[in-house]
Amino acid sequence: MAKTAVETKMTTISGTVDSVTYRNDDNGFAVAVLDYEGSPLTIVGSMGNVEEGEELELTGSFGTHPKFGNQFKVEACVRRLPVKAAAIQRYLAGGVVKGIGPVIARKLVKAFGDETLEILERQPERLSEVDGITPTKAQAFSDEFNRVMGFRSILSYFASCNIPAVYGVRTWRKYGVKALDLIDENPYILCSVGIELSFVRAEEIAREKGVPPDSYNRISAGIRYILTENSFAGHTCLPKDRLVETAVKLLKTDSDIIERTVTQDVSDEILYIYIKDERPYVMLKEYFTAEDYISRRLAIMNSLAYDTGINYDEVIDIAEEENNIVYEEKQRAAINAALSKGFMVLTGGPGTGKTTTLNAIISLLEQQGLKVMICAPTGRAAKRVSDLTGYDAKTIHRLLGVKPGSDEYLAFEHNENNPLDCDAVVIDEMSMVDTLLFESLLRALSINCKLIMVGDSDQLPSVGAGNVLHDIIKSRTVPVIALTEVFRQAQTSAIITNAHKIVRGEMPDLKETTKDFFFMQRLDFESCAALTVDLCLNRLPKAFGYSPTADIQILSPTRKGPLGTVELNKRLQAEINPAHRDKSEIKTLTYTFRVGDKVMQIKNDYDLEWTKDDEKGTGIFNGDIGIILKLNRILGTMEIDFEGRICSYGTQSLDNLELAYAATVHKSQGSEFDAVIIPVLGGYDMLYFRNLLYTAVTRAKKLLVIVGSAKRLEFMINNNRKMNRYTCLCSMMREDSFSRDEMPAETSEII
C-alpha cells in the first residue's frame, strides 16, 4: 500500500511513473500513478506531458480523496529521463517519440542498452544499425526526440521558476525550440500576446537574470503592460502625458527614458500615436489598426449608401395595414432610411418601439429580395432578439466563424477574402460591441452590404475595450435615428417609466407600490444582504412562482464587499446547493463548484468546444450563463450546459468561471430576466453611477426589486459621469468624413 499520511504540509518525494491516467497537453495538468517506494501512489497536478517510465521529483502534499483514496497533490515537478534499459524501453514504448512503438523500442534498447537515449539525441546515424531503421527514419526519430526534449526543458524551466505549466505550453507553441534562448535574451517576451504571463512575474525572472532596470526591453514591456491593463478597463489608448506619469511610478525610472522608449516603439510600429484635440494619445498596434479601419470603412460605406430617391411611404402604409399597426413618425423615418440607404444607427430606450421598428425593417428588406443576417454580441442577446423578432439571430462570433489565429489574435473564417454571403446585416445590442469585434465584423462585409446598427446609447459600454456605439453617434457622421416616444402600453410598466426617469436624472417615486417595481429600504449591510437572499430564495418564488436559478437574477454594482457578487454567491450557494459528503467539489481561488450550480463565463474562450444536439461549435463567451451537469474532482473537469450547448471544462478553463446566482451589472448586458433584485447601499462611489443603474433596471422583464438606501439610489442617479473611456474613434471618424469634399447633409444630423 502507498503511504496513508494525510498531513497537508509540503514535502518532496521521488518515483517512477507507472501509468498516466489523464493528461491535458493544453495546460499541463495530469493524473498519473507513481511507483513510490514500491507502492502505487496517485499523483495529481501540473506536470506537463508526463510519460510512463519517467523519474519524477515532486513537491506537494499528501491527502485522501473520499472516493479515490490516497493521492499526492503536486505543486512543483522536476522530471528526469530514465537511465536503466528496462525503464528506457518502457518510456519509448509509450509513444513519447512519434514513430517509435513497443517493437522498435525493444529493438533499440536491445542494441544500445542504457545508452539508448543518449544515442537517440546525439548520434542519430547509429540508429540505422538496427534492422528496419533507415537513415531517414533514424534522423526523423532523433529530430522528434530533440523536439520533445525541448518541450520538456521549457516545462522544467517554468517549474523551477514556480510558474504554472500552462505558460510553458503557450511559450513552446509560440517560440518552439528557440524559446529558452529568447527568454534568456529578453524575459519580457513572456508578457506578450499568446503567453500573457503577468509583468510582475516577468520582472522576477528578469531580476534573477540581471536585466538592468533601465533596459529598453524592460521599459518597453512596462509601457505595453500599462496600455494592456487599461484596455481591460475599456480604454483603447491613453494620453501620452498620463502614460508617462504612470510608467514613471511603475518602473521607477526617469520620464525622459520613458519618452525615448515610446518614440522608439512608435518608430518600430510597436506603438502608435494619434493626435486628438492637439493632445497625443498612445495606442497599442491592434487598437490603432482597429479604430483606423472602422473609421475608414464606415466613411466608405456612408459614401456608397446614397439615397435611392424612392419614397417608401406607400410600402410602409401597406405594412401597417397587414400588421394592424400604426408606426409613429420616427419609426417611419427609420424604416424609410433602412430601405432607401441601408446604413444607419437606430437607438432608443425601453418601450420606444425599437423591436417593432426592427421587425418592419427586416421584413421589408427581405421582401425586397435581400438576404438579411441578424446578430448580437452574446448568446443571450442573440436569443433575446430571436425571441422578440421571430427571426433567427446568431452571435457575432458564430456568424463570423471563430478559428485559431495564426498571429495569436482572434481570427475568423469570414473576412475580406471570404465575406459573408448576405445583402444586409443587422446588429442588435450595439452598445455591447467592442472595438476589435466590430473591426472583425466590418472586414467580413462586402463593400455594398447594408448595415443597420441597433442599440441603446444610454446602456453601459462594452466589456471589451472601446465605446463604439457612443463614438459613432457622437461623431455625427452616420445617420442616427433616436426613438424617444414611450408607447402607451409601455407606460403601464413602472420598470420602463422609471428607467426613463433615471436617464433624465429624475428620482423614481419609491413610495408608490406597483405590480412590477418595488423599493425596500435597508440601511445596514447585513440586513440588506439577508433580504436580498430571502427575496431570491423564498419571497419571490412563493409570491410569483419564480425559480431562484432560472427566473431570478441578483445584479450588484460590484464584486467586492458584503453586497458584492462574491459574498452574495457564497450565501446563495449555501442555501440553494449546499455542500454534502456525497457531492464532489472543485475549488478555485474564489469559489467552490458543485453539480447543479449556476455559473457564468467571465472571459471569452474561443477554443472551448461544445455540442448542441447534432451541432458542434467552438467558443464560450464573456457573460454566458450555464448549469454544471457533471464534475470530476480527481481530473478537475466539468460538463456545463450553456442553454443547450454542452461544453467540457478542463482545469485551466475553470479560472474563467464564477458562480452566477448573483452577477455584476456589467456581466448582465444584453440579457433579460423575469425578475431582478438590485442591492444598492454602500460601496466605491465610482461604481455607483446613472448608466449602471439604468442598465440594471432595464434587465428586468416582469419584476424589479431594489433593496437598500434611497439616499444611495439618489446619489447614483445624480452621478452622471457615465463610463468615460479613452478612445480615438470619434475623432478619426470626423477626420475621415469631413475631409471629403461632399457629404450628404443628413449624415451630420440625429433625426
Side-chain angles (χ1 to χ4, degrees):
M1 289 292 293
K3 290 183 180 295
T4 58
V6 295
E7 61 268 20
T8 58
K9 67 180 182 180
M10 300 293 283
T11 187
T12 299
I13 64 172
S14 298
T16 303
V17 178
D18 184 71
S19 61
V20 179
T21 307
Y22 172 84
R23 193 177 76 192
N24 186 329
D25 290 335
D26 289 334
N27 57 35
F29 180 82
V31 179
V33 176
L34 191 74
D35 182 352
Y36 171 53
E37 296 185 354
S39 299
L41 173 66
T42 298
I43 55 176
V44 181
S46 188
M47 294 175 278
N49 60 340
V50 64
E51 300 284 353
E52 292 180 13
E54 282 191 278
E55 295 179 5
L56 304 182
E57 182 180 288
L58 306 171
T59 301
S61 57
F62 286 99
T64 302
H65 187 275
K67 183 176 180 180
F68 299 102
N70 297 314
Q71 60 182 234
F72 188 83
K73 185 176 181 182
V74 178
E75 299 295 337
C77 172
V78 177
R79 304 164 62 184
R80 298 187 179 90
L81 289 175
V83 294
K84 296 297 183 182
I88 291 172
Q89 180 175 329
R90 186 178 180 187
Y91 175 66
L92 291 176
V96 65
V97 177
K98 187 177 180 180
I100 297 180
V103 174
I104 294 179
R106 184 171 60 252
K107 288 182 178 180
L108 289 173
V109 171
K110 184 177 180 180
F112 305 116
D114 295 349
E115 297 179 350
T116 300
L117 295 184
E118 184 177 345
I119 290 171
L120 187 59
E121 179 182 7
R122 299 178 182 177
Q123 298 176 276
E125 68 281 356
R126 289 196 59 193
L127 299 178
S128 58
E129 297 173 13
V130 176
D131 183 42
I133 299 180
T134 65
T136 301
K137 271 189 179 181
Q139 188 60 54
F141 289 159
S142 181
D143 290 344
E144 175 67 8
F145 179 73
N146 283 306
R147 188 193 69 80
V148 172
M149 291 304 99
F151 185 35
R152 284 172 52 93
S153 298
I154 286 287
L155 295 179
S156 296
Y157 175 76
F158 276 77
S160 69
C161 296
N162 245 355
I163 298 173
V166 63
Y167 293 103
V169 174
R170 293 175 185 174
T171 303
W172 174 257
R173 284 179 175 172
K174 185 165 185 176
Y175 295 115
V177 293
K178 300 176 182 177
L180 286 179
D181 289 337
L182 292 173
I183 293 171
D184 199 49
E185 287 177 23
N186 177 17
Y188 295 100
I189 64 168
L190 298 176
C191 303
S192 62
V193 174
I195 302 175
E196 294 163 14
L197 185 69
S198 74
F199 181 75
V200 174
R201 296 304 303 274
E203 283 271 70
E204 293 171 1
I205 297 172
R207 278 196 296 269
E208 289 178 3
K209 292 183 176 297
V211 176
D214 61 350
S215 78
Y216 164 76
N217 287 335
R218 177 176 183 265
I219 305 302
S220 178
I223 291 168
R224 283 180 279 114
Y225 166 75
I226 293 168
L227 290 168
T228 300
E229 287 295 300
N230 277 275
S231 74
F232 297 149
H235 306 294
T236 62
C237 58
L238 283 180
K240 186 179 178 184
D241 55 327
R242 290 283 300 272
L243 173 63
V244 171
E245 180 184 342
T246 305
V248 166
K249 292 177 181 176
L250 173 71
L251 301 170
K252 296 180 174 56
T253 191
D254 297 333
S255 60
D256 59 336
I257 294 177
I258 306 295
E259 294 270 8
R260 285 200 302 271
T261 305
V262 169
T263 300
Q264 180 64 50
D265 283 351
V266 169
S267 176
D268 293 340
E269 296 186 348
I270 295 170
L271 301 176
Y272 286 77
I273 286 183
Y274 180 79
I275 307 298
K276 182 174 71 169
D277 299 327
E278 300 183 354
R279 189 182 188 187
Y281 286 75
V282 184
M283 309 181 74
L284 292 167
K285 181 178 181 178
E286 60 265 34
Y287 289 111
F288 175 83
T289 301
E291 292 197 332
D292 180 64
Y293 180 84
I294 291 168
S295 174
R296 294 177 184 276
R297 183 60 191 269
L298 291 181
I300 293 170
M301 293 180 78
N302 199 12
S303 66
L304 294 176
Y306 57 87
D307 199 311
T308 60
I310 301 173
N311 190 319
Y312 288 93
D313 282 344
E314 188 175 334
V315 174
I316 298 171
D317 290 340
I318 295 172
E320 285 183 330
E321 187 175 341
E322 288 179 348
N323 296 307
N324 192 26
I325 193 171
V326 177
Y327 300 114
E328 60 97 13
E329 182 182 353
K330 288 186 178 178
Q331 287 180 304
R332 291 181 71 95
I335 298 167
N336 217 321
L339 296 177
S340 61
K341 290 178 66 68
F343 180 71
M344 60 174 287
V345 171
L346 175 65
T347 185
T352 58
K354 283 202 310 295
T355 300
T356 301
T357 308
L358 184 57
N359 266 328
I361 289 172
I362 297 169
S363 175
L364 292 175
L365 286 173
E366 288 186 336
Q367 286 180 33
Q368 288 184 332
L370 302 182
K371 183 177 180 180
V372 183
M373 290 184 172
I374 308 161
C375 59
T378 67
R380 295 182 72 87
K383 183 177 184 300
R384 178 170 171 261
V385 72
S386 290
D387 292 343
L388 290 173
T389 65
Y391 293 95
D392 181 48
K394 297 179 179 179
T395 64
I396 298 174
H397 295 87
R398 190 176 169 199
L399 186 72
L400 298 179
V402 178
K403 69 176 183 179
S406 59
D407 58 354
E408 318 303 338
Y409 291 100
L410 180 64
F412 294 101
E413 297 287 347
H414 292 286
N415 50 37
E416 301 98 319
N417 301 319
N418 182 27
L420 291 166
D421 179 21
C422 63
D423 304 300
V425 167
V426 174
I427 313 172
D428 196 30
E429 295 288 356
M430 185 67 193
S431 63
M432 297 175 62
V433 180
D434 64 60
T435 301
L436 298 181
L437 184 58
F438 192 50
E439 176 202 13
S440 295
L441 179 60
L442 290 180
R443 289 185 184 276
L445 301 185
S446 60
I447 198 67
N448 58 349
C449 183
K450 296 179 182 293
L451 179 63
I452 313 295
M453 297 167 277
V454 184
D456 185 346
S457 58
D458 290 313
Q459 297 279 5
L460 290 171
S462 57
V463 174
N467 205 352
V468 177
L469 179 62
H470 175 269
D471 285 346
I472 290 174
I473 293 174
K474 186 180 177 183
S475 74
R476 303 181 73 84
T477 63
V478 170
V480 177
I481 296 180
L483 304 178
T484 55
E485 180 182 335
V486 180
F487 286 89
R488 187 163 49 196
Q489 62 268 32
Q491 292 176 6
T492 62
S493 167
I495 294 173
I496 291 176
T497 56
N498 283 327
H500 285 278
K501 282 184 177 181
I502 289 167
V503 165
R504 295 193 300 266
E506 300 171 10
M507 189 74 172
D509 184 357
L510 302 182
K511 294 181 181 179
E512 181 182 350
T513 57
T514 70
K515 62 180 180 180
D516 68 350
F517 185 99
F518 298 90
F519 173 76
M520 305 178 76
Q521 181 158 291
R522 293 295 186 274
L523 299 179
D524 65 274
F525 287 116
E526 176 52 35
S527 63
C528 187
L531 177 57
T532 299
V533 171
D534 188 43
L535 283 165
C536 180
L537 296 178
N538 303 306
R539 296 196 189 190
L540 299 189
K542 185 176 180 181
F544 301 97
Y546 291 143
S547 161
T549 53
D551 304 319
I552 301 171
Q553 185 63 56
I554 296 172
L555 298 179
S556 173
T558 179
R559 293 186 75 252
K560 299 178 180 179
L563 295 175
T565 57
V566 173
E567 287 304 314
L568 288 174
N569 271 318
K570 290 178 179 178
R571 293 179 72 145
L572 288 158
Q573 184 193 43
E575 297 291 336
I576 296 173
N577 194 19
H580 191 277
R581 64 183 181 183
D582 294 333
K583 284 185 182 178
S584 291
E585 299 179 343
I586 291 180
K587 293 184 178 181
T588 63
L589 193 61
T590 305
Y591 289 116
T592 297
F593 296 108
R594 306 181 185 112
V595 171
D597 272 334
K598 180 180 179 181
V599 294
M600 177 183 285
Q601 178 79 5
I602 60 169
K603 184 179 179 182
N604 289 343
D605 192 326
Y606 306 103
D607 297 323
L608 281 173
E609 297 179 351
W610 52 262
T611 58
K612 185 177 182 180
D613 300 325
D614 295 330
E615 182 184 0
K616 292 184 178 181
T618 59
I620 300 295
F621 304 110
N622 197 344
D624 285 352
I625 293 177
I627 302 294
I628 298 175
L629 300 179
K630 297 178 183 178
L631 183 153
N632 188 319
R633 181 176 180 271
I634 190 70
L635 299 181
T637 60
M638 291 184 196
E639 189 174 280
I640 302 175
D641 180 357
F642 289 97
E643 297 183 327
R645 292 173 298 154
I646 310 301
C647 183
S648 295
Y649 274 63
T651 306
Q652 193 62 32
S653 299
L654 299 184
D655 291 339
N656 296 330
L657 277 181
E658 289 186 348
L659 292 176
Y661 302 106
T664 62
V665 179
H666 288 83
K667 297 295 185 185
S668 72
Q669 290 173 261
S671 301
E672 275 192 338
F673 311 93
D674 284 345
V676 169
I677 306 167
I678 310 171
V680 177
L681 194 54
Y684 185 45
D685 285 354
M686 295 292 284
L687 293 174
Y688 285 72
F689 55 96
R690 185 187 299 174
N691 287 71
L692 186 135
L693 177 63
Y694 171 75
T695 300
V697 167
T698 54
R699 299 309 90 202
K701 286 196 291 186
K702 299 177 181 178
L703 180 69
L704 174 73
V705 184
I706 299 177
V707 182
S709 161
K711 185 176 180 181
R712 191 61 172 167
L713 192 65
E714 185 176 14
F715 170 86
M716 214 169 176
I717 292 169
N718 290 333
N719 182 14
N720 193 29
R721 72 173 187 88
K722 295 193 175 183
M723 285 290 288
N724 296 319
R725 292 185 169 187
Y726 289 121
T727 67
C728 294
L729 179 59
C730 177
S731 179
M732 288 179 177
M733 289 183 67
R734 287 175 174 170
E735 186 178 300
D736 287 335
S737 293
F738 290 103
S739 64
R740 298 195 302 273
D741 294 333
E742 294 182 2
M743 184 181 69
E746 66 268 22
T747 62
S748 62
E749 299 175 0
I750 297 179
I751 300 175

